[in-house]
Amino acid sequence: VWVLDLRVAGSVLSLMVIAVLNSVLGTALGLLVSAFAQTDFQAVQFMPAFVVPQILLCGLIAPRDTMPDLLSTISDFLPLSYSVDAINEVTSSAAWSSDLTMNALVVAAFAAGSLLLGAATLRRRSR
């Protein structure tokens, strides 16, 4: 924020909280996807199939409200959509709002769910 002289209407602390939630979510989703892979090469192949639809539908390229109904509905189930909405809320509004709280909680829930699901799919080894 300071190095690039970015303008943030909300607090920088709020922006950092959302950024940390996003990084935890990204790590959790990576662990979840890699838990289903048999080899490292498979894990690398899974990631574009998992990440590209989220990037295309999260609202970074085209606003979600201008998307066709089907794509907009699909984007409502993708965690990156809530991350982008939370960042947009922090950068455009000075106050912490209920929308921001809801978006942050959804991101945290996706992260926790991904970690739990990833842990449940790990193979147990007994000696």
Side-chain angles (χ1 to χ4, degrees):
V1 171
W2 300 285
V3 173
L4 298 175
D5 195 30
L6 298 175
R7 307 278 186 241
V8 178
S11 76
V12 175
L13 181 61
S14 301
L15 185 64
M16 284 193 249
V17 167
I18 300 300
V20 167
L21 280 174
N22 287 335
S23 64
V24 170
L25 173 66
T27 303
L29 290 174
L31 291 171
L32 174 65
V33 170
S34 67
F36 290 103
Q38 300 293 325
T39 65
D40 293 344
F41 185 67
Q42 281 182 340
V44 171
Q45 288 179 321
F46 282 154
M47 291 313 292
F50 192 74
V51 172
V52 171
Q54 290 196 59
I55 291 173
L56 294 176
L57 298 176
C58 73
L60 283 176
I61 297 172
R64 291 174 56 205
D65 56 351
T66 63
M67 292 180 185
D69 291 338
L70 177 63
L71 295 179
S72 179
T73 302
I74 292 170
S75 75
D76 289 339
F77 294 99
L78 300 176
L80 193 57
S81 300
Y82 295 96
S83 297
V84 170
D85 289 347
I87 293 292
N88 287 337
E89 184 76 24
V90 169
T91 58
S92 65
S93 176
W96 187 284
S97 66
S98 61
D99 287 341
L100 181 57
T101 301
M102 191 269 308
N103 287 327
L105 287 175
V106 169
V107 170
F110 267 109
S114 297
L115 285 173
L116 290 174
L117 190 59
T121 60
L122 290 175
R123 291 174 289 283
R124 306 281 187 246
R125 292 185 203 182
S126 57
R127 293 181 183 215

